[in-house]
Amino acid sequence: MDEKTVSADNGVINGNTQTISKNFIEEIIEADLNSGKVKKTVTRFPPEPNGYLHIGHAKSLCINFGVKNKYKGKCNLRFDDTNPVKEDEEYVESIKEDIKWLGFKWDKLLFASDYFTKMYSCAITLIKKGLAYVCDLTAEEIKNTRGTLIQPGVNSPYRNRSVEENLLLFSQMKEGKFEDGKKVLRAKIDMASPNLNMRDPVIYRIVHATHHNTGDKWCIYPMYDFAHPIEDAIEGITHSLCTLEFEDHRPLYDWVVNNCGLPHKPQQIEFARLNISNTVMSKRFLKRLVDEKKVLGWDDPRMPTLCGIRRRGYPADAVKDFCTRVGVAKANSEVEMNYLEACVRDNLNMTADRVMAVIDPVKVIITNYKGSEVLSIENNPNAKKITTRKVSFSDEVYIDRSDFEINPPPKYFRLKPDGYVRLKGAYIIKCDSYETDQNGQVTLIKCSYVADSKSGSDVSGLKVKGVIQWVDAKKHTKFTLRRFDSLLLNNADENADFTARLNPESMKEVSAIGEKALSKAKIGDRFQFIRVGYFVVDKDSAKNKLVFNEIVGLKDSFNVKS
Ligand code: ATP
Ligand code: MG
């Protein structure tokens, strides 16, 4: 294996024991700490507040805060708010909330826009050194004179303006003398550089727009490639961890750090983005889904946003576990969505209480049972401390229609005419007869119960293979279940307009009934509905109106241990 690569299967996935060897970023950091080059690590998570965070950002968060936690360093949350047009306070707040949800604590909360004055003075430094010039070419002209990978670019006719003229024009840009796009400030590097990013990149542009933080104070804004290294240097970031697409920008990053007279030199290291199969994570795309009302909002349970995932019921620990299992690699790859689901299932298997619910009820009358009783049923066999709950039982229960077959196939262990089955946590029952309507649909099943077969004290001697869930017909709770499929069609044409890629059946609502105790469930409570799946109480719930989201099914073909 390439020594820089730590592959997805590097984590040994086995219940609670995870042995993860060092990833290539940690190798670099440890070398820097051991050599004394770095005393204390300082990392940062630098989102642009132009949308909500998604699962891809969770990977970046886990890496940056992972370094903080592992090496007892610091990690800042810095909003990279250098583009006033797309940014908004709403996004700032949502990003903070999502990071807190994941359990990460930032050291400093910072805004790139707080450094605009410093960035401006860095630009002046470059102009004075003859390393930046005001250019009047249009964006189109700049693009057309940039050259290609095999052809050098063409020098701008404005490249040799004097320092004085550049200083004057740049200050006039700042004062608002020019319209958007009329002038830019460009770094004077090398129009023949084999790296296109080094061909006199634009470092400041004119944008007459109100900024969410600085209001109308500025009408010139620094470009990302200029702003980012300055932000990192000001904050004393030791390791500036970013995604692979910035690898080609690193020479420019270093150029800015070296030429702006900054006291500190951060080191940029790139890692592979997280890509998930059949999942579009770009904020632009997700925003369209929200704006065009194709989903319930940014936090729709089908969205790959962190707030969507949270509402879907995925535990924060499962998301972090997923990021750990995926690992940190230097090569881009794609991970299957069911890999994340497997992490969620593993987590919920240990943490979620079990309850009984029935989606398609058919009534069972237990003819020889009199009255009612309250049973004590175990909540979670995997819990550290076993607890129980009270479940009412009577002579009338509902079972799921799919658990009764008039003409069962061989090895059918659920209820069938003259057959036995155990009602989970209660008694063994035997089907004596059943009734159907004119369509042949079963409407009622009549059973007798085996009195000495009560779960926990069964002395009946009967060996019954099937165990099914049930709900007391006299005391239960009604609710709605939302079941989900992927938001995008799996086989859709990637180039088709996004509406053609949307799965029209990605959300279905069904009504269901469950144990009475569920009526007390609160928003965010998670359960395993025995033999059905994992569910969470949705925020659309109200008094006497319970709505559950399906978090994940009970089983999947994907085997994380393989
Ligand atoms: P998008 O393309 O979805 O709009 P972005 O990269 O523009 O995302 P930023 O707000 O700039 O979003 O991202 C903040 C940090 O998160 C950056 O360091 C970025 O590299 C990282 N990041 C974004 N998407 C992913 C991903 N899929 N995997 C890993 N890191 C990511
Ligand atoms: Mg970005």
Side-chain angles (χ1 to χ4, degrees):
M1 190 194 296
D2 179 341
E3 62 168 5
K4 280 184 164 173
T5 309
V6 175
S7 72
D9 55 7
N10 196 283
V12 177
I13 295 146
N14 181 8
N16 294 328
T17 52
Q18 286 202 3
T19 47
I20 305 285
S21 59
K22 260 177 272 176
N23 65 49
F24 81 98
I25 294 177
E26 293 168 342
E27 303 262 3
I28 297 173
I29 290 176
E30 290 186 19
D32 288 348
L33 288 169
N34 290 337
S35 71
K37 181 178 162 196
V38 168
K39 297 230 157 34
K40 212 176 175 56
T41 62
V42 187
T43 49
R44 85 285 172 268
F45 177 69
E48 187 181 351
N50 62 351
Y52 283 63
L53 296 186
H54 50 63
I55 179 78
H57 292 113
K59 175 172 177 181
S60 178
L61 281 160
C62 285
I63 293 174
N64 281 294
F65 282 93
V67 168
K68 167 189 155 118
N69 295 341
K70 184 159 181 180
Y71 301 104
K72 302 198 171 23
K74 305 236 180 251
C75 184
N76 296 338
L77 167 58
R78 180 212 307 147
F79 287 99
D80 221 326
D81 55 350
T82 52
N83 181 359
V85 186
K86 294 193 196 138
E87 295 158 3
D88 199 278
E89 207 51 41
E90 173 195 350
Y91 303 133
V92 170
E93 289 313 311
S94 77
I95 289 170
K96 288 200 258 181
E97 200 180 318
D98 289 344
I99 298 175
K100 283 189 206 152
W101 174 64
L102 282 176
F104 294 126
K105 292 193 178 74
W106 55 82
D107 289 279
K108 290 185 188 155
L109 174 65
L110 303 157
F111 290 85
S113 53
D114 289 338
Y115 313 141
F116 280 166
T117 306
K118 175 70 187 165
M119 290 172 191
Y120 182 76
S121 78
C122 285
I124 301 279
T125 303
L126 290 181
I127 294 174
K128 285 184 177 161
K129 285 186 176 176
L131 292 175
Y133 61 96
V134 173
C135 183
D136 298 5
L137 295 181
T138 62
E140 187 71 17
E141 286 165 336
I142 290 178
K143 201 171 138 224
N144 293 339
T145 50
R146 208 170 163 222
T148 64
L149 283 175
I150 46 168
Q151 257 186 337
V154 179
N155 282 353
S156 160
Y158 306 98
R159 199 170 198 263
N160 292 320
R161 274 177 166 155
S162 68
V163 169
E164 291 67 33
E165 189 184 359
N166 281 320
L167 286 173
L168 177 69
L169 288 171
F170 190 50
S171 75
Q172 289 176 339
M173 278 169 68
K174 176 174 176 263
E175 282 154 20
K177 286 239 159 77
F178 311 111
E179 286 166 37
D180 288 8
K182 287 287 178 221
K183 284 186 172 26
V184 291
L185 185 71
R186 293 176 74 176
K188 191 172 179 177
I189 310 179
D190 179 7
M191 287 305 289
S193 170
N195 183 333
L196 267 67
N197 295 303
M198 299 297 272
R199 295 186 185 172
D200 291 8
V202 173
I203 57 175
Y204 257 96
R205 67 201 193 293
I206 302 170
V207 186
H208 290 273
T210 304
H211 187 280
H212 81 101
N213 191 22
T214 54
D216 293 319
K217 182 167 176 215
W218 296 89
C219 64
I220 53 169
Y221 290 92
M223 301 300 288
Y224 180 87
D225 279 341
F226 178 66
H228 206 80
I230 297 175
E231 295 157 22
D232 283 346
I234 292 173
E235 290 170 22
I237 301 300
T238 55
H239 301 87
S240 177
L241 311 175
C242 63
T243 35
L244 224 46
E245 68 272 21
F246 292 103
E247 195 168 22
D248 290 344
H249 297 239
R250 195 187 332 137
L252 179 53
Y253 181 98
D254 291 338
W255 185 92
V256 172
V257 171
N258 290 330
N259 289 296
C260 286
L262 297 162
H264 171 82
K265 295 197 191 327
Q267 175 184 182
Q268 175 179 304
I269 306 171
E270 309 86 15
F271 61 87
R273 270 182 113 76
L274 174 68
N275 298 308
I276 300 184
S277 58
N278 199 34
T279 305
V280 180
M281 287 191 259
S282 100
K283 284 183 261 190
R284 219 166 37 129
F285 176 81
L286 300 176
K287 188 165 187 310
R288 263 193 81 186
L289 290 176
V290 175
D291 290 345
E292 296 178 27
K293 303 213 174 350
K294 304 290 183 202
V295 291
L296 304 173
W298 282 99
D299 67 350
D300 185 295
R302 293 163 293 178
M303 293 275 270
T305 50
L306 291 182
C307 54
I309 282 172
R310 177 162 71 237
R311 184 169 172 192
R312 177 75 175 257
Y314 286 17
D317 281 346
V319 174
K320 289 195 279 189
D321 180 27
F322 168 71
C323 292
T324 309
R325 291 189 197 186
V326 166
V328 182
K330 192 83 186 166
N332 276 321
S333 63
E334 196 176 78
V335 183
E336 293 291 321
M337 192 46 131
N338 53 14
Y339 197 67
L340 171 58
E341 289 172 358
C343 295
V344 172
R345 199 177 289 116
D346 275 6
N347 179 294
L348 295 176
N349 182 35
M350 302 306 290
T351 56
D353 280 352
R354 276 63 169 161
V355 291
M356 294 191 285
V358 169
I359 295 180
D360 189 4
V362 59
K363 192 179 263 186
V364 173
I365 293 184
I366 305 170
T367 49
N368 61 341
Y369 185 89
K370 295 284 164 285
S372 65
E373 70 184 289
V374 176
L375 303 168
S376 252
I377 303 186
E378 197 173 277
N379 283 325
N380 180 355
N382 296 324
K384 284 201 190 89
K385 188 168 170 282
I386 300 293
T387 54
T388 58
R389 66 187 184 284
K390 304 253 178 283
V391 184
S392 69
F393 180 80
S394 73
D395 58 340
E396 287 185 17
V397 299
Y398 287 112
I399 65 168
D400 204 276
R401 189 172 299 283
S402 63
D403 286 333
F404 179 68
E405 281 293 338
I406 300 171
N407 297 304
K411 297 202 172 169
Y412 184 86
F413 298 122
R414 290 167 276 164
L415 197 60
K416 57 191 171 193
D418 295 323
Y420 289 85
V421 79
R422 173 173 293 282
L423 294 178
K424 172 85 187 165
Y427 298 93
I428 294 171
I429 56 170
K430 174 177 173 272
C431 170
D432 299 319
S433 65
Y434 60 90
E435 293 170 12
T436 56
D437 62 15
Q438 63 271 36
N439 302 319
Q441 166 119 305
V442 177
T443 50
L444 186 71
I445 306 170
K446 288 191 175 156
C447 292
S448 44
Y449 87 118
V450 180
D452 54 4
S453 69
K454 191 168 173 179
S455 288
S457 55
D458 180 3
V459 289
S460 68
L462 284 174
K463 294 246 177 312
V464 171
K465 280 200 173 150
V467 182
I468 61 173
Q469 82 274 24
W470 54 275
V471 169
D472 187 351
K474 291 169 183 167
K475 281 187 184 165
H476 60 260
T477 307
K478 291 193 174 71
F479 43 80
T480 301
L481 297 185
R482 285 182 182 153
R483 311 198 84 169
F484 303 108
D485 204 342
S486 64
L487 196 53
L488 299 180
L489 292 165
N490 220 337
N491 50 2
D493 174 6
E494 292 243 344
N495 301 316
D497 182 67
F498 89 114
T499 45
R501 296 179 61 193
L502 288 178
N503 177 2
E505 311 224 314
S506 59
M507 179 163 92
K508 281 186 189 151
E509 291 199 342
V510 293
S511 54
I513 54 172
E515 294 177 22
K516 187 75 197 154
L518 280 172
S519 64
K520 295 205 178 73
K522 291 184 208 57
I523 293 166
D525 284 353
R526 304 181 184 96
F527 301 93
Q528 183 196 96
F529 289 171
I530 293 168
R531 302 180 59 235
V532 181
Y534 290 100
F535 289 83
V536 64
V537 182
D538 188 73
K539 68 172 193 186
D540 284 346
S541 300
K543 207 169 187 298
N544 301 324
K545 176 190 166 227
L546 258 183
V547 180
F548 283 92
N549 295 327
E550 180 170 34
I551 307 171
V552 68
L554 290 178
K555 282 198 204 93
D556 195 85
S557 52
F558 191 82
N559 179 7
V560 282
K561 293 199 176 77
S562 65

